[in-house]
Every structure is written in structure tokens, then in C-alpha cells.
């Protein structure tokens, strides 16, 4: 295997915790970034079972050269109990996907899914403030994005989902946290919105049906996606052919990386 990292006694260690571990992508994202930015740090995969999470986090806390971790399933919820502080998005979402030790070895966790999406939109020149947004989907990513959209001052957040009860639950949670935002559970009709956002997994496969009727898309609308691969999902292709502006799924990911790096103490410009 080709060694690309030069590890010394001064190298700072970060982890990516998961169970199973083989599929995790964070080390292959962060290590090239550490190298590119000349940061003496390494991220390693840490295979931790749920029953050992408590012990491992205590051990990591006792290691001053361990900086923090990216967190995937099944640890996103249980690790909250072990954090000394949780950011606003993590509290609202009820799950954290990254955590870092501060100078006093306090573990600070948060969730950056939603902020990553909103920051990615902003970087592309699309503010969500005062916009009417139709969000399709009510899964894990949608939940995080919904709170961030509300936090960013959308004029209206309408949510539609195949399983209507899940859309209703998300609407209630957002309304409870942001009572001044107009939030409602609706049919999948995109007419009249400024932004139409697909957060479902429909589009991962080329043959997937569209989550809305593309004929109803309006030329003035921005159609956004969070699926990264394929880049041009069916809803984006339909939006392009209708003359709409489009926003890809990749910026959400890139901006999450920037947020996590920032908590780790590094400024990686995207
Ligand atoms: N760009 C990024 O950084 C980023 C980050 C996270 C996730 N993602 C992408 O976002 C997508 C969703 O992830 P997630 O974690 O939120 O998944 P999830 O929790 O499993 O939610 C999946 C969502 O898709 C809907 N859905 C699935 N199959 C459907 C179908 N056949 N017809 C209609 N709706 C369907 C689900 O509806 P029901 O509630 O009715 O099941 C639910 O709303 C994935 O494709 C993932 O790759 C991207």
C-alpha cells in the first residue's frame, strides 16, 4: 500500500467512528485535505460497537493528541449522552454527526447536515431567507435541513413525503422550535414555490420515478438536490429542461466538511 501520510509524534489524530466500519468515507475525505493544507494530522477509522462506545469515548478523552471524530450510525444518537455540550442543530435534530474535544477535554458535538446544505446554497449565491420552500422528503437529512431552513428565516416551509405521517411529525417539530415560521404538510405540488428541494433518495437510480410532476415546475424556480451521485438526477434534468435554475447535491457535503474541519480547528476554504 502507498504511504501518503508522514506520521510523527507531533501528528494530531482524528477518528471516524462507526459499526460496521468498512463503508465510511470520512478518512478518505479528510486525509487528502490535511495533506493539501499542510496540516500535521491524520483521520483513522475506529470500529466501535455500541456496547463499547462509553469506554472508548472515555479512553479518547484521556488522549490529548486525539482531536475529535466524524460520527456515523449507530452512534449518532447515543454519543449525545457522552457529549459535554451539544450545538443548537444537534439538539434540534436529536443526533450529532461530529464532535471534537476542546482545550479542557470537553467533548463538543453537533450536527452539520442542515447547515452544510444552507451554506452550500449561500456559497452558490442562493439565499433561503424569505423564500417559499417545498421540501420533498422527511428522512434523516430532511430533518436536519428543515431546522436549518427555519433557522435561516424562510418565509414558508412546506413538506411533502410519501409517508405523510412522517411529514406531519417533522412539521410539528419545526413549528415547536420555530413558531414564527409558516410550516405545513402538503401535497407534492411544486407550483408557487421559490425553491423546490428533493431530499428523498429518489434519483439515486436513473430509473427512479420523479418525486413530483415535472410539468408543474415553473421557470422562475430554483430546484435543489442533495443526492451527489449521479450529479444530474432526474429531477435536476427535468428542471433544466423547464428552464429552472438548479443546485447540485455536492455543495452540501463540501460545506459539512468545512464545518467539521472548523470544529477540529482548521480553516479549509471550500
Ligand atoms: N449531499 C449530502 O451531503 C447528503 C447528506 C445526507 C444524505 N444525502 C442523500 O440524501 C438522501 C436521503 O438520505 P436520508 O439519510 O435522509 O435517508 P432516509 O432517512 O432513509 O430518508 C429517505 C427519504 O426518501 C423517501 N423515499 C425513499 N424511497 C422512496 C420512494 N420509493 N418513493 C418516495 N419517497 C421515497 C423516504 O420517504 P418515506 O419516509 O416515505 O420512507 C424519506 O423521505 C440519500 O440519497 C443520501 O444519499 C446527501
Amino acid at each position: 500500500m502507498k504511504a501518503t501520510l508522514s506520521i510523527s509524534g507531533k501528528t494530531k489524530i482524528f477518528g471516524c467512528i462507526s459499526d460496521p466500519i468498512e463503508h465510511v468515507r470520512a478518512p478518505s475525505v479528510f486525509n487528502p485535505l490535511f495533506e493539501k493544507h499542510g496540516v500535521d494530522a491524520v483521520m483513522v477509522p475506529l470500529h466501535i460497537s455500541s456496547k463499547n462506545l462509553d469506554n472508548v469515548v472515555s479512553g479518547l478523552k484521556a488522549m490529548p493528541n486525539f482531536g475529535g471524530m466524524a460520527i456515523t450510525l449507530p452512534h449518532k444518537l447515543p454519543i449525545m449522552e457522552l457529549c459535554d455540550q451539544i450545538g443548537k442543530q444537534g439538539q434540534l435534530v436529536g443526533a450529532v454527526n461530529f464532535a471534537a474535544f476542546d482545550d479542557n477535554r470537553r467533548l463538543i458535538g453537533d450536527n452539520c447536515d442542515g447547515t452544510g446544505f444552507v451554506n452550500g446554497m449561500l456559497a452558490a449565491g442562493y439565499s433561503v431567507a424569505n423564500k417559499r420552500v417545498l421540501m420533498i422528503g422527511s428522512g434523516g437529512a430532511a430533518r436536519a435541513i428543515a431546522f436549518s431552513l427555519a433557522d435561516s428565516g424562510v418565509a414558508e416551509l412546506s413538506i411533502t413525503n410519501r409517508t405523510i405521517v412522517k411529514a406531519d411529525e417533522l412539521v410539528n417539530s419545526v413549528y415547536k422550535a420555530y413558531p414564527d415560521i409558516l410550516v405545513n404538510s402538503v401535497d407534492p405540488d411544486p407550483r408557487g414555490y421559490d425553491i423546490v428541494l428533493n431530499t428523498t433518495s429518489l434519483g439515486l437510480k436513473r430509473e427512479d420515478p420523479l418525486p413530483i410532476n415535472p410539468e408543474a415546475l415553473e421557470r422562475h424556480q430554483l430546484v435543489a438536490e442533495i443526492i451527489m451521485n449521479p450529479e444530474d438526477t432526474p429531477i435536476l434534468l427535468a428542471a433544466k429542461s423547464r428552464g429552472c435554475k438548479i443546485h447540485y447535491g455536492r455543495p452540501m457535503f463540501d460545506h459539512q466538511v468545512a464545518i467539521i474541519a472548523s470544529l477540529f480547528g482548521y480553516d479549509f476554504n471550500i
Side-chain angles (χ1 to χ4, degrees):
M1 192 195 299
K2 186 171 164 255
T4 54
L5 297 162
S6 168
I7 296 177
S8 73
K10 293 181 190 162
T11 305
K12 187 127 183 174
I13 304 167
F14 295 91
C16 173
I17 67 169
S18 187
D19 184 24
I21 195 70
E22 291 79 8
H23 66 289
V24 297
R25 284 184 306 170
S28 57
V29 171
F30 276 89
N31 288 322
L33 279 173
F34 291 146
E35 202 168 5
K36 179 178 162 195
H37 292 270
V39 171
D40 188 6
V42 62
M43 181 181 278
V44 291
L46 300 176
H47 190 176
I48 304 170
S49 66
S50 294
K51 70 176 168 43
N52 286 323
L53 183 65
D54 199 338
N55 285 339
V56 174
V57 170
S58 299
L60 295 172
K61 195 169 192 156
M63 285 170 48
N65 65 345
F66 186 86
M69 58 206 125
I71 302 161
T72 67
L73 291 173
H75 303 309
K76 288 183 175 191
L77 273 73
I79 203 168
M80 292 178 78
E81 292 284 315
L82 307 173
C83 288
D84 298 293
Q85 190 181 316
I86 293 166
K88 184 178 174 185
Q89 290 302 316
Q91 287 179 33
L92 288 169
V93 176
V96 298
N97 61 357
F98 67 115
F101 290 103
D102 70 8
D103 291 342
N104 300 313
R105 302 306 291 165
R106 294 171 72 249
L107 187 60
I108 317 294
D110 206 350
N111 189 305
C112 60
D113 275 334
T115 317
F117 174 75
V118 170
N119 287 359
M121 288 274 283
L122 275 176
Y126 301 125
S127 167
V128 298
N130 304 314
K131 298 289 193 301
R132 296 186 68 209
V133 181
L134 173 67
M135 185 175 77
I136 312 156
S138 301
R143 182 173 171 80
I145 291 172
F147 289 115
S148 290
L149 289 173
D151 200 56
S152 305
V154 290
E156 177 181 343
L157 174 59
S158 296
I159 302 176
T160 186
N161 193 46
R162 173 180 63 178
T163 310
I164 295 170
V165 66
K166 282 175 64 182
D168 292 345
E169 278 167 16
L170 184 52
V171 163
N172 288 335
S173 303
V174 174
Y175 176 71
K176 222 169 126 188
Y178 295 89
D180 295 336
I181 299 283
L182 178 58
V183 52
N184 44 27
S185 175
V186 297
D187 291 331
D189 180 352
R191 285 173 295 186
Y193 294 95
D194 302 308
I195 299 171
V196 177
L197 164 63
N198 178 39
T199 69
T200 73
S201 36
L202 284 179
L204 281 174
K205 295 189 285 263
R206 291 277 176 198
E207 64 274 20
D208 279 344
L210 284 161
I212 47 156
N213 172 13
E215 301 296 317
L217 286 171
E218 296 163 349
R219 200 180 164 77
H220 65 91
Q221 293 173 325
L222 169 68
V223 177
E225 176 63 271
I226 67 168
I227 289 174
M228 290 194 290
N229 190 15
E231 184 178 54
D232 279 303
T233 57
I235 192 173
L236 292 185
L237 290 171
K240 270 189 202 174
S241 74
R242 304 275 303 170
C244 304
K245 295 184 287 291
I246 62 158
H247 180 72
Y248 288 114
R250 176 78 198 199
M252 171 176 170
F253 179 80
D254 289 339
H255 284 268
Q256 287 186 71
V257 171
I259 294 165
I260 296 173
S262 165
L263 191 72
F264 288 171
Y266 308 113
D267 180 12
F268 294 162
N269 282 328
I270 297 295

